[in-house]
Amino acid sequence: MLNAALSGKLYAGNPHVRFDEKGVALEKPRHGSLLSADRIASKCLWVLGVIVGVVFGTQAARLTYVGTDGGNWTASNVWKTETGEACSWTDGNTAVISNVSVKLPSNVTVEGLEWSTKAKKTLTGNGKLTIGAGGIINGGSSEVNLNPAGGIHLSASQTWKTSGTSKRMLCLDGGRSVTAASGITITVSGGLEVRWAANGSLTSSETMYFTGSSYFSPAASRGLGSPTLIFDGYRNGANWISSYGESTDSRNWEKMASKLVLRNGACIKLHRASKFNIPEIVVDGTGDKTSTIKPATSGTPLSMLAAETHFDVAENCSLSFDVPFAESGVSAKIVKDGLGSLTVTTSNSYSGGLEVLKGKMTLSSSGAEGTGPVSVASGATLRLAQGITVRQAAIPAGTIELNGGNVVMTEDAEITQEDDKTECLHVDILAKHIGG
């Protein structure tokens, strides 16, 4: 039996295994031993370290920063172990920082980052920060600002969160590069607001997932890249996509996502003028099945940059889109897909046309269909609110519910009145104008 605790150097294969440089002794000497007590103890610990490392994987240690405010991350002995011993930083561990700013002079890899602060604190310097599966925790009451010149790399799926329920901020600042390993998911939860002022290079194989009371605030001309962006849940009336800064600034969503997914009643607010380049918007049918996209202020325009924007609303789900459409540099087209219902409540000026492929689409404002041609596919329905007139309608096989609205057909369109009524229209005979 060993009669002394080990407190020496970290074993490289497992940070929780240490070698005692002073040696240890056995309680009773064993005659005829070919190895000294020191060597026996070292051999046993080496074998134990190998077994733990192979079977369970190396477990990251938590190292706490004890250097000065604004000090260097990689300076000697500015960290301490969980047992209180001074040490220098070793890559692959979890960094714990409290109420100080830190400089990153060279590249550093952390398993996780836990930062508690009562006032805004920053990570600066020329290095790159790589963050593993431990993710980021803001455990304080103020902002943690990550601004390393070398950028940030996310090497594994991870969660960014607060340690409590109150709102706290994580800012990725300075237009720095943010990259990610292929196929990972970044989950943002708790009361964390992510203020995104970085240049993201996430691809369509990665996912940015906001849940609970989390909040996303992108800066002008910055973006995530092209990941799937998911908002899950209903946050104080809105699971907001917002923008910070002066109210006169435009907000460009040219590099934000390849797909926007709303679930569990997520409600999106778009703050101020935006250029919008998300080609697919999905309501996936999970949980609460009613979602809304609306402006933070009345009349906020949305310039469509994609040639086609698809709204895929799942069966028994609905989406109300309350932001006016425009277009920028393209002839933008809106396509309604999915068996659920899409309602457009604003007058729009996009010219590429409206195509209803599946489910039901409701136009509740004059000019909601834009200025281009309108078509309704077989099995789909276009519903008009009272007094709404749709022009340039070419209806090959679908249904229009007039409800007091009007349809002005293209010259080659053919329509049938069913049972001497014009509440539902189908294709058959030549006509140019039908009123409800």
Side-chain angles (χ1 to χ4, degrees):
M1 180 181 293
L2 300 180
N3 61 7
L6 301 183
S7 58
K9 294 181 178 179
L10 287 169
Y11 168 60
N14 190 316
H16 295 287
V17 177
R18 298 176 178 273
F19 294 108
D20 192 338
E21 295 177 304
K22 297 179 181 179
V24 293
L26 296 174
E27 279 189 318
K28 295 182 179 180
R30 304 283 181 171
H31 296 290
S33 173
L34 297 178
L35 296 174
S36 68
D38 286 3
R39 293 183 66 191
I40 292 173
S42 296
K43 287 287 185 180
C44 291
L45 290 176
W46 181 83
V47 171
L48 177 61
V50 171
I51 292 173
V52 172
V54 171
V55 176
F56 298 103
T58 300
Q59 182 179 352
R62 297 174 78 254
L63 302 182
T64 300
Y65 180 79
V66 292
T68 59
D69 190 9
N72 281 344
W73 185 298
T74 55
S76 298
N77 295 322
V78 295
W79 298 86
K80 69 176 181 180
T81 67
E82 293 175 79
T83 57
E85 297 162 314
C87 65
S88 299
W89 175 256
T90 304
D91 276 353
N93 293 311
T94 294
V96 182
I97 303 173
S98 299
N99 294 315
V100 292
S101 294
V102 186
K103 293 179 181 177
L104 200 68
S106 58
N107 296 348
V108 162
T109 297
V110 302
E111 173 66 7
L113 178 61
E114 300 178 15
W115 205 319
S116 299
T117 177
K118 297 178 181 179
K120 177 181 175 180
K121 296 298 179 180
T122 60
L123 177 68
T124 56
N126 293 322
K128 177 173 74 173
L129 178 65
T130 297
I131 304 173
I136 302 172
I137 299 175
N138 183 345
S141 57
S142 188
E143 173 184 340
V144 171
N145 188 298
L146 303 183
N147 189 13
I152 297 170
H153 179 68
L154 310 173
S155 63
S157 292
Q158 56 193 265
T159 297
W160 301 352
K161 61 184 179 180
T162 64
S163 60
T165 58
S166 61
K167 178 181 174 182
R168 290 145 189 176
M169 183 179 292
L170 171 66
C171 180
L172 284 75
D173 213 348
R176 306 306 187 189
S177 169
V178 177
T179 59
S182 179
I184 72 168
T185 296
I186 302 99
T187 300
V188 183
S189 65
L192 189 65
E193 175 182 349
V194 175
R195 195 179 75 180
W196 191 277
N199 283 320
S201 298
L202 278 65
T203 71
S204 58
S205 65
E206 286 86 67
T207 299
M208 195 82 180
Y209 178 47
F210 287 81
T211 185
S213 59
S214 58
Y215 188 101
F216 183 42
S217 180
S221 302
R222 307 297 185 195
L224 298 170
S226 57
T228 295
L229 178 59
I230 300 176
F231 281 80
D232 186 349
Y234 197 68
R235 178 196 181 279
N236 297 329
N239 224 151
W240 290 356
I241 300 176
S242 70
S243 299
Y244 71 90
E246 298 299 324
S247 60
T248 56
D249 288 351
S250 295
R251 302 300 167 185
N252 297 333
W253 283 65
E254 299 178 55
K255 296 196 308 175
M256 194 57 67
S258 57
K259 180 191 294 186
L260 172 63
V261 179
L262 307 178
R263 59 176 55 151
N264 279 311
C267 177
I268 306 304
K269 281 189 176 181
L270 295 175
H271 282 218
R272 298 181 283 280
S274 297
K275 290 183 178 179
F276 197 80
N277 191 22
I278 301 180
E280 186 175 6
I281 300 173
V282 176
V283 179
D284 73 358
T286 302
D288 187 323
K289 298 177 180 180
T290 302
S291 291
T292 305
I293 298 178
K294 55 188 176 181
T297 56
S298 178
T300 302
L302 194 65
S303 295
M304 313 298 283
L305 301 181
E308 290 190 1
T309 300
H310 286 248
F311 290 83
D312 189 349
V313 185
E315 188 173 11
N316 298 319
C317 296
S318 64
L319 172 63
S320 179
F321 204 97
D322 303 337
V323 184
F325 296 106
E327 58 191 18
S328 178
V330 297
S331 179
K333 179 180 181 179
I334 301 302
V335 179
K336 163 63 178 69
D337 211 337
L339 297 177
S341 175
L342 170 65
T343 299
V344 177
T345 65
T346 58
S347 180
N348 305 305
S349 60
Y350 62 93
S351 62
L354 170 64
E355 186 175 7
V356 185
L357 294 179
K358 295 179 182 178
K360 177 183 285 190
M361 182 165 184
T362 299
L363 304 179
S364 62
S365 178
S366 179
E369 79 281 9
T371 61
V374 177
S375 66
V376 183
S378 177
T381 299
L382 178 64
R383 184 178 187 275
L384 307 183
Q386 178 74 32
I388 303 301
T389 297
V390 171
R391 303 179 184 278
Q392 299 192 60
I395 311 175
T399 299
I400 290 184
E401 296 178 2
L402 292 178
N403 300 295
N406 298 278
V407 179
V408 179
M409 310 302 299
T410 56
E411 291 187 1
D412 59 349
E414 296 182 345
I415 299 189
T416 287
Q417 285 187 205
E418 282 194 347
D419 300 326
D420 298 323
K421 296 180 180 179
T422 56
E423 291 303 313
C424 290
L425 305 180
H426 295 277
V427 174
D428 272 335
I429 63 172
L430 183 62
K432 290 188 177 180
H433 181 281
I434 297 292

